[in-house]
């Protein structure tokens, strides 16, 4: 995980890359530029500070801090009220994106109950097929998978700048899945069609984004090997762990080594490793930590997708969240089917599980500390974004 420290030279690089990939009209009228870049908290320092803060929290506060919630509105007051539950994060979906950039900044600011410690504000800004920000016209996976690796670095530098300027600290934007099957659900979103090409582009995208926002690798352990759409089912594969290590693992390992801040676990069942979806599998969490060496925040894919599968054992969102945290996830994400009450129900369920002994208190504290550390690092990256009317349009 990188501490996202960069000065004038790094800022200039971001500006140049953003300008070179933006349409001429966009660069001429509304380019991205860094006004100032500062970072006062190192990664190790934030870890220590996070541990101190978490040690002073109640069990309920710790539980709330590892929930990333969602409600579909652009009403800043409603969002502020929703976040007063003490949630550690919020994910912006299409229904949260207002008409103008100024309105979006007002909205993201409203998500902070304590301005000194903002929540993690996330977005799925892959570009191309999955794009929440309409102003993102930078190259995406559909073309980047066949272009030089440097193009991926340039595109994701620009994309990260766009995300950061909106007041968003986390991008769920790097698809590390691989498949050569053009009919696959994930093909159009993957950055490569084979392990090596995907790994090179994932590494480039991760390195570029981590200078500006917290980047995320998804969907671990790899959607390409498991056919089907995980929004509606639990895609399943019989791929062995050895085959996985030689193929689907490669881009994830590259992204981890490049410093990705988050690793998103998919609702994917590799039955030869564990019949349970990876998001609920202690074995897959162990593999991510011990084999890949990932020490950042593990986030679930939307837990509502488990409910949407129609499988009875995944019908309860609170049970799903508890299973994910017990397995090793640090941050639980709830979107599909979520109401204004869902996050609070999960918080109460996790709290009760600690009291009952079904969720070890130290597991909750560990998760809360990782999330808190990332919040502190994101808060310390106080880059100021401003319009740049003097920048030259791209040729």
């Amino acid at each position: 995980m990188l501490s996202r420290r960069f000065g004038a030279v790094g800022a200039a690089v971001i500006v140049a890359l953003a300008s070179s990939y933006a349409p001429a009209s966009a660069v001429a009228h509304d380019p991205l530029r860094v006004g100032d870049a500062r970072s006062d908290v190192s990664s190790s320092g934030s870890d220590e500070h996070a541990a101190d803060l978490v040690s002073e929290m109640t069990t309920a506060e710790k539980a709330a801090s590892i929930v990333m919630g969602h409600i579909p509105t652009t009403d800043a007051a409603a969002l502020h009220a929703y976040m007063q539950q003490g949630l550690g994060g919020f994910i912006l979906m299409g229904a949260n994106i207002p008409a103008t950039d100024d309105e979006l900044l007002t909205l993201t600011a409203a998500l902070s109950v304590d301005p000194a410690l903002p929540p993690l504000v996330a977005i799925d800004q892959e570009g191309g097929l999955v794009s929440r920000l309409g102003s993102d016209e930078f190259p995406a996976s559909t073309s980047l998978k066949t272009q030089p690796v440097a193009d991926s670095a340039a595109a994701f530098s620009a994309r990260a700048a766009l995300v950061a300027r909106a007041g968003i600290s986390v991008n769920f934007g790097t698809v590390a899945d691989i498949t050569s099957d053009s009919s696959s659900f994930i093909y159009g979103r993957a950055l490569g069609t084979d392990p090596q090409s995907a790994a090179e582009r994932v590494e480039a995208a991760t390195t570029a984004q981590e200078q500006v926002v917290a980047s995320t690798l998804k969907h671990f352990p790899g959607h390409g090997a498991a056919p089907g759409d995980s929004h509606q089912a639990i895609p399943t594969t019989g791929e062995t762990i050895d085959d996985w290590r030689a193929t689907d693992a490669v881009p994830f390992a590259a992204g981890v080594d490049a410093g990705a801040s988050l690793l998103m676990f998919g609702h994917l069942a590799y039955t030869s490793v564990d019949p349970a979806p990876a998001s609920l599998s202690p074995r897959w969490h162990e593999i991510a930590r011990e084999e890949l060496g990932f020490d950042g925040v593990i986030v679930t894919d939307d837990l509502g997708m488990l409910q949407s599968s129609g499988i009875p054992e995944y019908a309860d969102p609170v049970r799903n969240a508890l299973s994910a945290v017990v397995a090793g996830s640090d941050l639980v994400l709830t979107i599909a089917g979520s109401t204004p009450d869902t996050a609070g129900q999960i918080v109460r369920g996790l709290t009760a599980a600690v009291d009952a002994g079904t969720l070890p208190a130290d597991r909750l504290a560990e998760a809360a500390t990782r999330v808190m550390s990332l919040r502190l690092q994101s808060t310390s990256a106080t880059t100021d974004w401003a319009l740049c009317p003097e920048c030259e349009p791209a040729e």
Side-chain angles (χ1 to χ4, degrees), residues 85-324:
Q85 301 174 84
L87 304 183
F90 186 91
I91 181 169
L92 297 169
M93 301 296 286
N96 301 118
I97 308 301
T100 69
D101 290 345
D102 287 344
E103 288 174 310
L104 180 54
L105 275 173
T106 298
L107 186 150
T108 53
L111 294 169
S112 293
V113 175
D114 177 4
L117 185 60
L120 297 174
V121 180
I123 194 168
D124 288 308
Q125 194 59 37
E126 300 171 16
L129 297 176
V130 177
S131 186
R132 313 298 182 206
L133 302 177
S135 53
D136 184 350
E137 298 182 22
F138 306 117
S141 55
T142 48
S143 60
L144 291 174
K145 59 165 56 79
T146 60
Q147 294 175 355
V149 174
D151 289 5
S152 291
F156 276 93
S157 287
R159 184 162 290 120
L162 190 69
V163 167
R165 198 187 71 168
I168 301 166
S169 54
V170 175
N171 189 18
F172 293 152
T174 311
V175 177
D177 309 299
I178 53 173
T179 182
S180 59
D181 180 3
S182 60
S183 67
S184 169
F185 158 75
I186 207 67
Y187 177 83
R189 297 165 58 191
L191 284 168
T193 57
D194 63 83
Q196 187 59 36
S197 69
E200 292 170 349
R201 287 158 182 79
V202 166
E203 178 182 7
T206 300
T207 301
Q209 290 177 89
E210 283 290 331
Q211 306 305 309
V212 188
V213 296
S215 72
T216 309
L217 305 171
K218 62 184 186 184
H219 307 81
F220 186 82
H223 211 314
D229 183 346
S230 57
H231 291 86
Q232 303 163 348
I234 307 297
T236 301
T237 177
E239 182 173 277
T240 67
I241 188 66
D242 288 336
D243 286 341
W244 175 80
R245 289 176 179 131
T247 55
D248 297 271
V250 176
F252 287 100
V256 169
D257 290 345
S261 293
L262 299 99
L263 179 61
M264 178 179 283
F265 271 48
H267 306 309
L268 314 168
Y270 279 62
T271 55
S272 70
V273 180
D274 189 334
S279 54
L280 309 181
S281 165
R283 176 60 181 140
W284 277 114
H285 285 77
E286 178 185 43
I287 290 169
R289 295 296 187 195
E290 296 185 3
E291 292 197 23
L292 268 63
F294 181 69
D295 62 1
V297 171
I298 290 178
V299 58
T300 67
D301 203 346
D302 173 23
L303 292 175
M305 293 160 61
L306 286 172
Q307 293 172 263
S308 298
S309 72
I311 299 174
E313 65 185 290
Y314 304 134
D316 182 354
V318 175
R319 180 181 176 184
N320 293 337
L322 174 59
S323 296

Side-chain angles (χ1 to χ4, degrees), residues 324-350:
V325 177
V326 170
S329 289
D330 304 308
L331 185 63
V332 293
L333 176 64
T334 175
I335 308 171
S338 181
T339 72
D341 299 324
T342 302
Q345 291 168 353
I346 291 174
V347 171
R348 290 189 291 276
L350 294 176

Side-chain angles (χ1 to χ4, degrees), residues 346-371:
I346 291 174
V347 171
R348 290 189 291 276
L350 294 176
T351 303
V354 172
D355 293 340
T358 52
L359 171 58
D362 57 355
R363 170 78 273 271
L364 177 60
E366 177 186 52
T369 301
R370 286 202 184 100
V371 173

Side-chain angles (χ1 to χ4, degrees), residues 8-26:
V9 174
V13 171
I14 299 290
V15 174
L17 293 172
S19 299
S20 66
Y21 272 93
S25 58

